[in-house]
Amino acid sequence: MVSEEVCGSNTHDLTASALRKELLVDLENFLDPQFDYDFRHGSDSSQCSCGGEPYSRPWGWYRFALKVKNKYPDENTWLGSDGWRSCSSAGEWPVSFHGTSIEGAKAIASSHYTAGPGQIYSRGIYSTPDILEADFYAMIKTFKSNKTGKTYKLIMQNRINPKTRVITAKKTYWLIPVPEGTSAAEEKSIVEASIRPYGILIKEVPIPF
């Protein structure tokens, strides 16, 4: 479910439909197409805040929405209220981004984030408020569509709990700590209470001339 954007378009074009059927078909039960948004052709300089943090919409990307409404025991406050607004709503979480592969996205969307081997500051889940930072990692893990013949990159769009988030020495790196030795059940509990993906952003990678 998407709550903060109203300036994009939820038009479902043939390219998006083809990508959904080819790449995300095994996520069908986790997708919520009515909340998909097409940000590929728009732009907006309006100032927006989500969860007390500045937020810029993901212009240039197509977002496949995930089913998150009423998914968690604390209901939907973390998503914020519907519609564009310049100020955050009470209890809303900030937005963060995480560049990953198509396989990584499927694993995250169908289950939850898991702490990976990259431990720059400490063990845990890393994301960023800066989509350009996430884009750097997305470019490392591009993939090609057999249907369109084009190359794409992918970023997970999340909400992150400001009470459990750690802003690292590099301000654009946000961390949800998961200590070494944490059991799988405990890690799931920590992660689901701290960082929740609500969209898969996909963008075509231009062919260099």
Side-chain angles (χ1 to χ4, degrees), residues 112-196:
H112 55 82
Y113 279 99
T114 56
Q119 302 176 22
I120 300 173
Y121 295 100
S122 64
R123 186 175 185 271
I125 314 300
Y126 286 86
S127 63
T128 175
D130 184 355
I131 195 169
L132 296 180
E133 185 79 42
D135 195 7
F136 171 81
Y137 292 94
M139 280 299 295
I140 300 173
K141 302 174 180 180
T142 59
F143 56 94
K144 189 172 183 178
S145 165
N146 292 325
K147 288 190 179 294
T148 69
K150 297 177 180 179
T151 299
Y152 298 90
K153 53 187 174 181
L154 185 151
I155 291 176
M156 301 299 296
Q157 187 170 18
N158 322 284
R159 293 303 185 105
I160 188 167
N161 191 336
K163 295 180 180 179
T164 54
R165 166 200 63 181
V166 173
I167 300 177
T168 68
K170 185 173 181 179
K171 303 300 183 183
T172 55
Y173 282 14
W174 289 355
L175 169 67
I176 298 300
V178 180
E180 196 73 47
T182 301
S183 68
E186 187 179 3
E187 179 168 335
K188 181 177 185 291
S189 178
I190 292 171
V191 170
E192 291 190 342
S194 302
I195 183 167
R196 297 170 178 174

Side-chain angles (χ1 to χ4, degrees), residues 33-46:
Q34 64 177 316
F35 294 111
D36 288 357
Y37 265 85
D38 188 349
F39 292 100
R40 291 173 296 180
H41 310 297
S43 63
D44 183 12
S45 59
S46 300

